[in-house]
Amino acid sequence: MKLFAAALMSATLIVSSANAGNLIAPVMEEEVIVEEASASSGSDWLIPLFALILFAAAVGGGSSDTITSPIN
């Protein structure tokens, strides 16, 4: 009986340790791909040109030196 119990216990330990290492699909992290924006040199002059046009419109917008009276 002791021999049967020892064989049963050793078989249980062997089987449980064999089941302990179940293969699980590895978790794969996604590879991050970073695309750099292409530098377009064609539009580099648009913002300064627009600012210059706005500045010129503000400076040369006209004069309000003449005062008109509502009463004639």
Side-chain angles (χ1 to χ4, degrees):
M1 184 72 175
K2 288 184 180 182
L3 183 62
F4 179 71
L8 185 63
M9 188 178 292
S10 64
T12 305
L13 290 175
I14 291 171
V15 170
S16 64
S17 63
N19 278 339
N22 284 343
L23 292 178
I24 299 174
V27 178
M28 302 294 289
E29 294 183 17
E30 292 184 21
E31 184 176 333
V32 178
I33 300 173
V34 178
E35 289 186 29
E36 294 184 19
S38 62
S40 59
S41 61
S43 65
D44 290 342
W45 54 272
L46 283 177
I47 294 175
L49 179 66
F50 186 66
L52 183 64
I53 291 171
L54 286 177
F55 181 73
V59 169
S63 175
S64 62
D65 290 342
T66 56
I67 300 175
T68 56
S69 175
I71 302 173
N72 288 341

